[in-house]
Structures are given as structure tokens and as C-alpha cells.
Amino acid sequence: RWGAILLTFWCALWIWLWCGFIPEQQRRVARAAVDAENALLEEAAAILTEGSPVRTSSPALVQGLQHLGLLTAKPLLICFNVDDDLFRIACEGREDHLAGLVPKSMGEYSRVIVSAALESSLALMPRDEAEDMLDALEFPKDSAEECGAWRVGMEQLVRSGFDACGRHVFYTAGEKEARSWTIRRGAAAPEAARAIHSDMERGFICAEVAHVDDVLELGSVSAAKRAGKVRLEGRDYIVGSGDVVEFRFNV
């Protein structure tokens, strides 16, 4: 009888102590997380007080406060709309006069230089006439290509915005349609497959990969296969910009 009473007492005592221990551990973990976030917030506040954006701080701080969506922690993209003379100077690689317009306190930024008046004219012309116009304006062709003289301003902004945000696209192409899918730069094949459907990531086997330039040149993915331009990649493959991918999966 006394043995049963002692056993019941010890069991009750153990349960009481254990039920009190778990919430205390949870409170300690929560307090540690709050203290860590408060330290990051104090560091961010000091940076903002100095007049600098949060993105100029350490990557650890930016990553730690990412869930707050701080505006000054986001990448910065600046679009310069310039006249023909300034555009020619920019194409020649002389951009000091533009860089001086941005305060150094803004930190690193991506830039797009466009001449809206020039591009509106080029957009209405065939390629050969556009080249003649650039020749008449004495633009260096190679530099003009790099500056985006053959692209409308919106396309430049989209491309630069994707780069600033660490995103790019890959393609899927079938008989009926071709589509682009946005993924983060550095995503492996299973993660890219998830952009299409979660089942593809869960049952990923391999990926058939070609480059969009080869597919466009040969006319289809089937033609690219016959030409030996399609290769098999495993789950460690990092999907690149411009890849045309067909995922093999089984669920």
C-alpha cells in the first residue's frame, strides 16, 4: 500500500516538475529571439539615424530584418532618362556626371540609362534603319548594344529589376505553348520545378535542359534533341537564365 502511495507521489511530482520545465524553456527561447531581434533593430536604427539606408549595413542585418520589409533594406534601381548627348557619353562609358547625381549615402545601386526620345524613334524603325540612325548620331554600335539602344526602356527596367532582386527566368516549351517562370537566382532544379507545381519538386527525377538560343535557332525542343543540344541534369543542377527545361517526375 505504502509503495503504491509513494509511486503515485513521485509520478505526480515528476509530472508537475516537467510541466513547469517545458514552458520555462519555451519562455527562454522566446526571450532569446526577442533579444536578438531588438539588437538588430537597434543597429538598424543607428544606421538610419546617420542618414544611411539599411542595405548599406551587413548582409546579416539585412537578412535578419527581412521579414519586416524595410524600404531602405530593399535593392535600389535608378533610371536616368537623358538626352541624346548624355546618352552618347554614357555609351562611351563616361558616367561620372550621372553618378554625381546620387548621394554616396545611398550606397550601392543598379542603374538604367535610357533616352526615351531616341528609343521612341528606334522602336518605330526596322533594324537596318535604326542602325543607320545610330550611325548618323555617331553612336558606337557595340556600346549602344550594351546600353540597351536596341531595347525599349521598359524591357531594360524589367531586366535590371530582375537582376537587382536576384531573380531570373527559365522556360518550358511544348507543342501548344511556351511559358516563362520566375525563380530566384541560384535555385536548383527541384526548386525550379516547384515554380510550376509542388508535385514536380516532390517527385523530381531529372531535368532535360537546352538553351533558349538553340531552341529558337533550331525551331523546337524536338529539333534541339535531334541536334544533341539537350542534356540531362540531376537535382543539384542550378537552373540558369534562358534555360528551356522539361522536368521528369513521378508521384
Side-chain angles (χ1 to χ4, degrees), residues 170-171 209-219 241-245:
F170 73 95
Y171 303 95
V209 183
H211 196 271
V212 65
D213 292 340
D214 296 326
V215 175
L216 292 175
E217 179 182 355
L218 297 171
S241 178
D243 281 349
V244 180
V245 186

Side-chain angles (χ1 to χ4, degrees), residues 2-46:
W2 286 106
I5 293 175
L6 288 174
L7 179 61
T8 303
F9 172 77
W10 282 112
C11 288
L13 179 61
W14 183 86
I15 292 172
W16 178 76
L17 291 174
W18 183 250
C19 290
F21 173 76
I22 292 178
E24 178 61 26
Q25 288 297 103
Q26 292 175 338
R27 285 192 293 269
R28 289 180 181 178
V29 172
R31 282 197 298 267
V34 170
D35 291 342
E37 182 165 330
N38 285 339
L40 293 176
L41 289 173
E42 291 175 359
E43 185 179 349

Side-chain angles (χ1 to χ4, degrees), residues 134-210:
L134 287 178
D135 288 336
L137 294 172
E138 298 181 352
F139 281 112
K141 290 185 179 179
D142 293 340
S143 298
E145 183 78 22
E146 295 173 2
C147 289
W150 304 119
R151 300 175 184 167
V152 296
M154 182 59 69
E155 183 180 349
Q156 291 187 68
L157 284 174
V158 170
R159 288 175 179 268
S160 299
F162 268 56
D163 291 340
C165 295
R167 298 291 188 270
H168 62 194
V169 298
F170 73 95
Y171 303 95
T172 55
E175 295 182 0
K176 295 183 178 181
E177 68 171 4
R179 288 193 57 178
S180 63
W181 305 88
T182 301
I183 56 174
R184 68 175 183 87
R185 194 176 300 277
E191 183 180 341
R194 186 176 61 201
I196 303 175
H197 199 285
S198 58
D199 285 348
M200 289 188 174
E201 179 186 29
R202 184 160 53 91
F204 179 87
I205 299 175
C206 66
E208 296 183 357
V209 183

Side-chain angles (χ1 to χ4, degrees), residues 111-143:
R111 62 105 180 102
V112 175
I113 303 173
V114 299
S115 173
L118 174 62
E119 291 190 2
S120 63
S121 300
L122 294 175
L124 300 175
M125 297 180 180
R127 180 63 181 255
D128 55 346
E129 293 183 15
E131 290 181 353
D132 293 339
M133 181 176 178
L134 287 178
D135 288 336
L137 294 172
E138 298 181 352
F139 281 112
K141 290 185 179 179
D142 293 340
S143 298

